[in-house]
Amino acid sequence: MMLSSHPFRSALLACAAVTFALSWASAAEPIRIVFQNGRSVPISDVVLQGDKLTVTIASESFNPGQVLPISSIDHVFGDKPAELNPGIGLLLMGKPSDALKLLEPIVAAQRITAKIPGNFWMDAARAALVAYAVNGNAAKCTEIGKEISDATPAQGIDPFVSLGKALLLPSSTSAEDREVALRDLTRDDLPADVCAYASFYRGNLLADLKRDPDQVKALQQTTDTLEAYLMVPCAYPAGGMILNSVAELKAAEFLVTLSRREEAIALLESSARASAGTSVAVEAAKRLQSLK
């Protein structure tokens, strides 16, 4: 979807500028699996064996060796892993290898919860898939894509698999074809997080293109890039607050080149607030300082 009307661009900017932020404290509540009868067990105290959980450590509710059917589980309870947001932040700031150092342990530790409502495994696994794709690691991308699809069997192949394929397109593929592949993943029938990641990386692709020597065409390139980034927090805000924050940070950079300083400051302030505790907030604060 291409956006060209000035009123819509203004609406996107207004939307991004008023995005409210949340902050996250370090994880304090261990992740627990909660059963339909209200009892719960830490994920560290059980192992997955087929369609059952086996208790490995005695607790107030369960005994070692006790077998618990997956069908009796209601949801996952606990605080988001403290490394998840920083890991996503590193990925989107162009450091996928560093991101994987934080994301892979979450994927491993939380894998047992992959099919349980309320799990944190899915966000970490999908971010890891993107990181593998950006790194050009097709094998790992395919491997985790299958795990994600297996965890959501009702929808068949998970849309993130298609995102991974688009990001894995080689540099020998024309920029136009790569841009189209990402743009095709910003459809209304796809999940918000897929659309958000696709629009963000489409913005990155457009940002890296050589500026056209024609001033009018160069301005259009800048406008298209800005809109791709702003689509993330405005059209697909449910994609995730860290993703929204980095997109706002990137959009602010282009607003500065258009001499729209106040709008850039508004986006940077929103980005810094919403990404507290990550490298994104540090970078947003630096850029704010340079503009004030």
Side-chain angles (χ1 to χ4, degrees), residues 21-40:
L22 296 175
S23 61
W24 302 275
S26 297
E29 185 69 33
I31 306 296
R32 302 179 70 89
I33 294 172
V34 182
F35 295 87
Q36 293 169 3
N37 61 10
R39 293 195 298 172
S40 66

Side-chain angles (χ1 to χ4, degrees), residues 14-287:
C15 169
V18 299
T19 299
F20 289 102
L22 296 175
S23 61
W24 302 275
S26 297
E29 185 69 33
I31 306 296
R32 302 179 70 89
I33 294 172
V34 182
F35 295 87
Q36 293 169 3
N37 61 10
R39 293 195 298 172
S40 66
V41 61
I43 63 171
S44 57
D45 293 358
V46 293
V47 294
L48 181 64
Q49 296 179 323
D51 60 350
K52 297 179 176 63
L53 296 177
T54 300
V55 179
T56 58
I57 300 175
S59 68
E60 68 277 10
S61 301
F62 303 99
N63 299 313
Q66 187 171 351
V67 176
L68 307 167
I70 293 290
S71 59
S72 66
I73 296 174
D74 187 71
H75 66 277
V76 172
F77 175 81
D79 289 335
K80 178 185 294 187
E83 299 81 10
L84 182 54
N85 286 332
I88 294 174
L90 287 169
L91 164 63
L92 299 171
M93 293 295 285
K95 299 179 179 179
S97 296
D98 291 338
L100 286 168
K101 293 176 183 177
L102 298 181
L103 295 171
E104 286 180 330
I106 300 174
V107 172
Q110 304 282 329
R111 183 172 278 113
I112 195 172
T113 69
K115 295 183 179 181
I116 304 174
N119 73 80
F120 296 110
W121 180 87
M122 191 62 73
D123 284 346
R126 285 172 170 165
L129 181 150
V130 173
Y132 290 133
V134 173
N135 267 350
N137 191 334
K140 291 293 289 184
C141 194
T142 299
E143 178 184 322
I144 200 164
K146 184 179 184 305
E147 283 192 71
I148 293 170
S149 296
D150 289 345
T152 56
Q155 66 183 29
I157 297 176
D158 193 273
F160 264 82
V161 173
S162 296
L163 175 63
K165 290 179 179 178
L167 293 171
L168 279 166
L169 287 173
S171 56
S172 58
T173 305
S174 70
E176 181 180 359
D177 286 346
R178 284 181 284 152
E179 190 268 339
V180 169
L182 290 168
R183 179 154 44 89
D184 284 347
L185 293 171
T186 57
R187 305 193 313 266
D188 292 341
D189 61 323
L190 291 175
D193 49 359
V194 173
C195 296
Y197 271 109
S199 192
F200 176 82
Y201 280 102
R202 177 173 169 258
N204 281 359
L205 176 62
L206 293 171
D208 289 340
L209 293 179
K210 184 178 180 180
R211 296 294 96 178
D212 196 290
D214 181 271
Q215 188 173 3
V216 174
K217 291 182 179 179
L219 178 60
Q220 186 60 52
Q221 285 180 306
T222 297
T223 301
D224 290 345
T225 305
L226 177 61
E227 289 174 349
Y229 286 135
L230 288 177
M231 287 291 290
V232 176
C234 295
Y236 317 115
M241 295 197 72
I242 299 300
L243 189 46
N244 294 343
S245 296
V246 183
E248 289 175 335
L249 188 151
K250 296 273 191 175
E253 179 180 341
F254 282 86
L255 286 171
V256 171
T257 66
L258 295 172
S259 300
R260 295 160 66 174
R261 181 174 169 277
E262 291 186 3
E263 292 167 286
I265 289 174
L267 287 184
L268 288 172
E269 289 176 339
S270 174
S271 175
R273 289 194 304 267
S275 59
T278 73
S279 59
V280 183
V282 174
E283 182 61 28
K286 288 180 181 178
R287 298 190 187 188

